[in-house]
Amino acid sequence: MFKGPVENKNEAAMSELVPEPRQKPVVPMKPMGINASLLGYIGIDTIIEQMRKKTMKTGFDFNIMVVGQSGLGKSTLVNTLFKSQVSRKSSGWNREEKIPKTVEIKAIGHVIEEGGVKMKLTVIDTPGFGDQINNENCWEPIEKYINEQYEKFLKEEVNIARKKRIPDTRVHCCLYFISPTGHSLRPLDLEFMKHLSKVVNIIPVIAKADTMTLEEKTEFKQRVRKELEVNGIEFYPQKEFDEDLEDKTENDKIRQESMPFAVVGSDKEYQVNGKRVLGRKTPWGIIEVENLSHCEFALLRDFVIRTHLQDLKEVTHNIHYETYRAKRLNDNGGLPPMTVETEENHESNL
Ligand SMILES: Nc1nc2c(ncn2[C@@H]2O[C@H](COP(=O)(O)OP(=O)(O)O)[C@@H](O)[C@H]2O)c(=O)[nH]1
Ligand SMILES: [Mg+2]
């Protein structure tokens, strides 16, 4: 049934490929009849499969930074997120340096593989943030780190013999941990998010949500959203980057209801109704971290990994990195920073 007309049509199209000179460019004729969809088939949809194969081969980088005061459960949450011991806690260098004196930034990379797709996940921990008596400007070392990654990428990009695939160390997402006080955000929180929301995708989370009652949690979430709005702080997903109505509808819901995700973290498993679940054991029972009626961890995980991972990467590249790049090239009189080798050189060259 299908074959005959298709072949005929192809022949017809072929004969048209030998046009008389100076005629209009050959446009495939409008297919007619029942096999219209087959006739017009070009194969553009196979790009999805091609992209999938490429991604499976090369894998991709995804870099998450966690920021917040010590003891808010950053390391625990990161472990929970990937159900593997990926953060600082696991590498055993937590013992001696209980509270580092200054903000240290540590990046630990792990390759995670699922369904044949490789993801090189790097978690950047910032122990020591906000732990000092005077926390003025404590966002600075973090901003510096983020900018250094943009600079690295930029240098690779403007290299004459540039790598086919530039290693991406740029921070795609910064989880900012808010203390579950039930009061308001602290000046430190506002300062950090105010400065950093311009250079990185910030996702605010309320830490240790199990320490609040349901009413306290709802109220605190509302208050945090209000305070962020009053202070003009834009968190991810930023309104201005919604691409279409579908994005807007989906993201509005996240912005107005889910944010900031009130999470509970744990890397311990318990037996609940015959199933092993990640949870926290308390005298009153087990808090299941992946149970939506217990906390919003699963929402956060789905948001970062399942629905917005690619978008986080794109906003980082198209907005934050682009802003950095334009500024750097401008400062450099329109020239790419090619001769610049180190950070010190770069400063003296400017
Ligand atoms: N109640 C409660 N405790 C938590 C939670 N997450 C972590 N903790 C505990 O808080 C302490 C500090 O956690 P850690 O992940 O090391 O915090 P970090 O300093 O921010 O990395 C540990 O004793 C954790 O077991 C949570 O969601 N709820
Ligand atoms: Mg930690």
Side-chain angles (χ1 to χ4, degrees), residues 272-316:
V272 175
N273 299 332
K275 269 197 235 147
R276 291 199 74 74
V277 296
L278 282 167
R280 302 190 70 82
K281 195 168 179 186
T282 73
W284 313 276
I286 288 170
I287 304 162
E288 301 165 41
V289 301
E290 289 176 88
N291 185 334
L292 277 179
S293 57
H294 292 195
C295 82
E296 295 161 2
F297 167 78
L299 278 183
L300 172 70
R301 182 198 53 201
D302 287 359
F303 176 64
V304 174
I305 311 275
R306 297 196 185 150
T307 60
H308 284 68
L309 191 142
Q310 183 58 23
D311 188 63
L312 280 160
K313 287 181 63 127
E314 281 175 19
V315 174
T316 302

Side-chain angles (χ1 to χ4, degrees), residues 71 74-76 87-89 94 125 127:
K74 299 184 294 294
S75 308
T76 309
S87 74
R88 187 170 179 268
K89 205 170 177 178
N94 219 3
D125 204 348

Side-chain angles (χ1 to χ4, degrees), residues 13-14 29 115 200 215 224 271 285:
M14 289 287 266
M29 275 173 54
V200 72
E215 290 82 16
V224 171
Q271 199 85 20

Side-chain angles (χ1 to χ4, degrees), residues 30-89:
K30 273 240 165 81
M32 296 176 300
I34 48 160
N35 291 319
S37 59
L38 273 179
L39 292 174
Y41 184 69
I42 301 171
I44 300 170
D45 55 355
T46 64
I47 193 160
I48 306 289
E49 182 57 20
Q50 294 171 35
M51 283 159 82
R52 195 183 69 87
K53 274 194 182 152
K54 269 243 149 89
T55 312
M56 276 179 81
K57 262 192 214 145
T58 53
F60 61 94
D61 300 311
F62 189 61
N63 309 316
I64 299 184
M65 181 183 247
V66 288
V67 181
Q69 275 185 302
S70 292
L72 285 184
K74 299 184 294 294
S75 308
T76 309
L77 193 87
V78 168
N79 287 342
T80 320
L81 200 52
F82 296 96
K83 288 215 204 126
S84 57
Q85 302 278 309
V86 287
S87 74
R88 187 170 179 268
K89 205 170 177 178

